[in-house]
Structures are given as structure tokens and as C-alpha cells.
Amino acid sequence: MLSSRISPSLRRRSYYTCNKWQRHAAEQHRRGLQLQQKCLQQQQFKQQCKQQSQYAFFSTTSTSSSSSSNNTNFQIKWWHPVIGGLVITVAGGVKWLHDHLGGTEGFQRSASFYSKAIPRYLMYRYHMVMDSPNEVWEELDKETSKIALEKMLELEGFYYKAGQMCASNLGDAFPQIWRDTMSVLQDQVPPQPFDVVKKTIESEMDFEKTFKWFEEKPIGSASIGQVHRAELWNGTKVVVKVCYPNAERLLRGDVRTIKTFASLAQPVHVPALAEIEKQFATEFDYRQEAQNMATVRNNLNRAGFAGPGKACQVPRLYMEHCTKRVLVMEELFGDKLQVALKNDVEFHAKRDNQTVQEFLRAQQQKDKNAIEKGQKVQGPTEKEFNVLIAVEDSKRKARNAWNRVYNTTVGWLSGSGMNGYQDKSTLPLNHAKLVDDLIEIHGHEVLVDGFFNGDCHPGNVLLCRDELNESEPQLGLIDYGQVKRLTKEQRHLFAKLIIALDEGNRDLVVKYLTEAGHKSQKMDAEAMYLYAKVAFDNDSREITGGLHIQLFMEKLQEKDPVISIANDFVMVSRCTLLLRGLAHALKQSRTIARAWRPIAERVLQEDI
């Protein structure tokens, strides 16, 4: 056989060669199987990723082949982004509620406000369209003003300020019924418990080491704080103004609620409300208010308006005890202006042998008759008031002289009792002088100092006398949380506007109003002139054509919609509206431009 013929060495070489090729073939087969398995794994992985991509936004895989079989990749399910979106939405909503409405409490307050405001607003609009008679309006005013007062007392915060604006007859916009109903909010806001007040003070200073004694019952309360009498350890008697907790957060939410309502119901007021909202931000730091009050006090003392025997006085501050939420100052002795005016009404009613209600009804009917005849409703002049006061003072002195004789003779001998004496606080007030003094003082603050109180409602004015009540009354000016600053350029521009308004120069009024930042769609000269007239000078029936101020402003807005207003002068406008509101209520209507023109001319001439 052939195999037997092959040599052993050749057989061994053949064996080894064959075995080598077999091993090589086996190795190639093994690698082929591995490659095939790897391709199969890759195809399976790709198919898995393709299926998962239908339900996920993204997926992650390991790039390391050694660990890919051991690690589990996190996969986002379809419902994960939905949950995430809801979480983000809820978080954003919570932040918006906190920042814009004061949290859930603010939201509840907004809902409570709208539940009363919207139905009543629609009711008023309905009666406007139907041109309802006066009797219907009076009944509607009585009912709505009571509902509004109850809601304001419930909500507090900015709603108190809204009520104060109403009581102050801002812009002569509110009927007498509303002014009377809201008058309690000017200084009779329900106070916070003393525990709350004391806790606030203790968070700012050492209560026991600061005050020798502290009167728990407040002497006044307002929208963001209340005032107590106290005595420092050095024997100085002071009054302490304390800010309410959470007042800032809630008030900011309230302002935004009012702005939202105004944007729907009275959009013409939204730009002004936005500027007023900015100004409110300064009211929650009493350290700033203390600095404001000290500056105004120095300015008015230097100008000769404030001080002993002068037209007014401003409290002295004790800066070392003033903190962010506590303000310590000198007490001014006197009645709030609205209290003094109520006493004055009682005097005139008694002089006419009438009750207060009878006297007021008679005055209202007299005013109504004058308006129907086209006559201007105007009270006595300063000179006429001086004559009346002189006559009544002579009667007072005569009665006091008689009582002195009686008390030292018949009264003393018979033991039947002594007759009392009357001081000067029983005399009538000179309404004309009171209004003129307030207008002049604030005109100086605006045009000369460029530093004025934008919240000069009657609740922030006292009528002060000396301890024996024998001096002439002085105006006590308090509460400087809303002070506005004007630069020299702004003061000079406003001075020019005042002169142009007094002259009735429409072209110059439009020019200066435009320079101040006022812009409307049509830039209609007549509409802009009337806007400036009402905003800064005069809102009498001659200007508004007998229309209510709100309807008049809406008509102007329809004629030439306002795009932007003179933001720097918004608080000046508010100041003049408050002063004019008091003047209207006292039948002492004034044109601000005429009263402030001498000051404006001096500012421009002397380059003050």
C-alpha cells in the first residue's frame, strides 16, 4: 500500500501539517461564531433602542463593552415629562401667588374683593346706561358704600387706603354718602392686639430697656401700622408707630388686585396705579420715613412755614430709636383734621338751632339748588370767616366774664356749682385759610424743595393748639411714608406747566406735558390740555361739563387713548387731587395753577 511506502519522518511532517490546518480552521470557525453572535447582539440592541424611542425623549447607554452587560440604563417613561411639567407649573403658580397676590391668603383676598366689586360695578354701569333718577342713585350709594366698608374692614391692607381716598374726596369723585361712610377709615382702622405690636417691637429692639412705660391702647391706627404713646427712660414722652406683620406682602398683592380690576373696568387709571404702586414700596421702611420727615421738617422750618407761631409743625424724630418697623417721634397735641371738622359742623348746626343731620341735609339741598341754577357752590372767604370768628370770640369772652363773676359770687355763696369756661377750640374754623395754607405749603414742597408728601389726606393732618387752647390753630403734618423727590429739571418743567395752565395756553401745556413723558395715540391738543387741567389744576364742573370725573376721564380716553403718562408727576397729581378734594368738601374750590403760579415764577426767575 502507498502509506506503507512513506517514510516515518515524512509521515510525521504530514501529520503535523494537517493538524496545524485543522487548528487554524477551528480558530477561524470560532471567531466567525463570535462575530456572528456580536452582530446579532448589535441588531437586538438597535431594535430595542428603536422600540424605546417611541416612548422616551432620550436614552443613555454605556460606551464600555466590558460593562454594558452589567449596567442598567435609566429610561424616561412617557409620563415622566408630564409630571415634570406639572411640578414646574405648580411651582411657578405658587411663586406667582406669593409674589403678586401675597400667597394663598392674597388669592383668597382677591377673590373676596372681586365677589363684591364686579356685581356692584355692573350695577352702577347699568344705572348709568338707564339714566336712573337721583333717588335710585342715593339708595344705591347707601347700600354699596356700606357693603364696601364691611369688605374693607374685613380685608384691611390697601383696601383701607382705598377707603381713605374715598373719604378724602379724591378728585371730587365721591358722593357725600360715600365720604361719610368711609370717614372712619381715616384714623379709626381697627387696631392689632397689643401682643402683636409688642412682639414686633421686641424683634427690632430691647423693649424694656427702651421704654419706661408704654400705653397699650393705640391713639391711632391706619392701613399698615398703629401709634401708641410711650415714655423713654430719659423722661422724653413720645409716640411710637409700629408696622403690622405681613403688611408689605399683603398690600402689594392688594394693589395688583386693584390694578387688575382697573385694567378691566377703568383702564384710564392703570398707569397712575402702577406709579403709585412703586411709591408704596417706600412706605414699609420706617427708617426711610424718619429721614423723610426730618428733611421736610428742616425744609419747612427754613422756609418759615413751620415752628412756633407759624402755619404748621412737623414732629421731631428720635433717630436712635427708629428701625425698619418702629418709628419713634415727638407727639403733636391736637385733633385729627376730620375730627376738628366734625366738631365744626356741630358748632354751625347748634348756631342754626338744628341737629347735625338737619344742618347737613339743609346744606346739601342748598348746594343742589345752586347747581340746578347753574351757580357755583362756594363757601365764605378768609375775611368773611375772620369776621364770623371775631364775633363768636367776643361772645365767648363775654360768657367767660359773666361765668367768672357768677362763680365768684352766686355760685360760690350758694354752693350751686360753678359754670365752665370756653377756650378757643370752641370757635369755628376758618376753612378758607386752612385750605390756602395747605395748598401753599405743598406748593413750596413740590416746586421749591422737590420733596413732598404724596399722601396728604386729612387723616395725615392734625389741628394743633397749645396746652391752654388759647393760641391760633396750627396744622400738624404727619406720615411721610410716600414722599416723592423731583430733580431741579423736573421742578422747572412743572413750574412752566403750572404757568401755562394758569394762562390757559393750550400749545404750551401740550408742549410741556409731552416733554414730561405724556403720549397718546392721536396727540390731540384739546384732549391733552383737558387731561393736564384735571390732573394738575382744576376739576370743576366748568372743566368737566358737569360730568362725573370718572365719566369725563373715560370720554377723554375714548377720544385720544393714553399710551404713557408723565410718571414723574403722578404723585404731584395725587397730591393736588387730595388737596382739591378737601377744598371741594369744604366748599373752598381752588385752581392749583393760580395758587402755585407765584411760587413757580419765583423758582424760574431765581433759578431755584
Side-chain angles (χ1 to χ4, degrees), residues 187-207:
D187 192 44
Q188 297 300 320
V189 174
Q192 293 286 330
F194 179 68
D195 290 344
V196 174
V197 172
K198 186 176 181 180
K199 186 176 180 181
T200 300
I201 298 175
E202 288 175 336
S203 69
E204 302 282 316
M205 64 182 70
D206 190 321
F207 184 88

Side-chain angles (χ1 to χ4, degrees), residues 266-289:
Q266 299 170 337
V268 69
H269 298 307
V270 173
L273 280 171
E275 180 63 22
I276 291 173
E277 180 185 12
K278 293 179 186 177
Q279 207 61 37
F280 279 150
T282 64
E283 199 167 1
F284 300 101
D285 190 341
Y286 283 174
R287 293 168 299 189
Q288 183 62 55
E289 180 175 347

Side-chain angles (χ1 to χ4, degrees), residues 298-577:
N298 291 335
N299 289 344
L300 294 181
N301 281 338
R302 187 170 56 250
F305 285 107
K310 303 296 183 179
C312 71
Q313 53 179 312
V314 179
R316 178 187 296 107
L317 276 300
Y318 297 93
M319 304 296 292
E320 66 274 20
H321 300 299
C322 294
T323 68
K324 179 177 172 57
R325 295 193 294 170
V326 179
L327 188 149
V328 181
M329 59 185 165
E330 168 193 14
E331 180 177 8
L332 301 184
F333 295 94
D335 293 325
K336 288 284 188 178
L337 183 57
Q338 69 268 24
V339 173
L341 291 174
K342 286 181 180 179
N343 294 337
D344 195 59
V345 170
E346 293 176 0
F347 167 84
H348 288 285
K350 184 177 180 181
R351 190 168 66 98
D352 292 349
N353 294 318
Q354 294 177 316
T355 64
V356 171
Q357 290 74 20
E358 291 172 342
F359 176 79
L360 291 175
R361 280 197 297 268
Q363 292 298 311
Q364 290 170 5
Q365 186 60 47
K366 183 179 178 181
D367 296 345
K368 183 179 178 181
N369 293 340
I371 292 172
E372 290 176 351
K373 294 177 181 178
Q375 300 173 349
K376 185 177 181 180
V377 177
Q378 189 72 15
T381 65
E382 180 179 345
K383 290 183 179 180
E384 290 170 338
F385 267 116
N386 283 336
V387 171
L388 172 63
I389 293 171
V391 170
E392 294 299 326
D393 193 30
S394 298
K395 294 179 181 179
R396 177 188 72 89
K397 291 177 179 178
R399 284 191 294 269
N400 285 345
W402 166 251
N403 289 339
R404 189 172 294 106
V405 172
Y406 176 85
N407 291 339
T408 56
T409 55
V410 178
W412 180 73
L413 292 174
S414 65
S416 59
M418 302 291 185
N419 291 337
Y421 301 102
Q422 295 178 328
D423 56 40
K424 282 193 172 184
S425 65
T426 60
L427 296 176
L429 298 177
N430 191 325
H431 296 178
K433 185 177 187 304
L434 187 154
V435 168
D436 289 336
D437 284 347
L438 281 172
I439 290 176
E440 185 180 10
I441 289 168
H442 286 86
H444 178 88
E445 289 182 356
V446 170
L447 290 165
V448 178
D449 299 329
F451 197 83
F452 65 95
N453 186 5
D455 194 26
C456 52
H457 64 78
N460 289 337
V461 180
L462 301 175
L463 203 65
C464 304
R465 298 179 187 270
D466 60 20
E467 294 182 1
L468 298 177
N469 283 327
E470 288 297 329
S471 65
E472 296 299 321
Q474 267 186 308
L475 297 170
L477 306 181
I478 59 175
D479 198 337
Y480 284 86
Q482 293 183 44
V483 166
K484 175 70 176 179
R485 294 176 181 269
L486 297 178
T487 65
K488 182 177 180 179
E489 291 73 18
Q490 290 167 346
R491 288 189 292 107
H492 282 206
L493 178 58
F494 189 70
K496 294 174 183 177
L497 179 60
I498 284 292
I499 295 172
L501 283 168
D502 187 48
E503 292 176 346
N505 190 324
R506 283 167 166 73
D507 292 338
L508 286 180
V509 167
V510 171
K511 177 179 182 294
Y512 298 138
L513 192 64
T514 303
E515 289 181 17
H518 184 95
K519 185 178 180 181
S520 60
Q521 285 187 4
K522 302 175 184 177
M523 297 300 284
D524 182 275
E526 181 65 16
M528 291 178 67
Y529 172 77
L530 291 174
Y531 180 94
K533 198 75 175 171
V534 170
F536 304 110
D537 179 28
N538 182 13
D539 47 45
S540 65
R541 297 176 64 86
E542 291 79 10
I543 301 297
T544 64
L547 289 176
H548 185 275
I549 188 66
Q550 175 61 35
L551 292 178
F552 177 75
M553 294 301 291
E554 288 178 2
K555 285 188 175 295
L556 284 184
Q557 181 72 0
E558 290 174 4
K559 182 178 180 180
D560 186 13
V562 175
I563 298 174
S564 62
I565 61 174
N567 286 327
D568 293 325
F569 296 156
V570 167
M571 295 306 289
V572 181
S573 175
R574 186 168 187 263
C575 175
T576 68
L577 285 169

Side-chain angles (χ1 to χ4, degrees), residues 254-271:
D254 294 342
V255 173
R256 292 186 176 99
T257 299
I258 297 291
K259 279 174 57 182
T260 302
F261 177 76
S263 66
L264 299 173
Q266 299 170 337
V268 69
H269 298 307
V270 173

Side-chain angles (χ1 to χ4, degrees), residues 1-29:
M1 296 180 63
L2 179 61
S3 60
S4 61
R5 297 177 182 176
I6 301 175
S7 63
S9 59
L10 179 62
R11 187 180 294 118
R12 285 194 298 270
R13 287 196 297 270
S14 299
Y15 173 79
Y16 287 121
T17 301
C18 180
N19 194 32
K20 179 178 179 181
W21 281 105
Q22 286 177 346
R23 288 197 304 271
H24 179 71
E27 179 67 20
Q28 292 296 322
H29 179 68

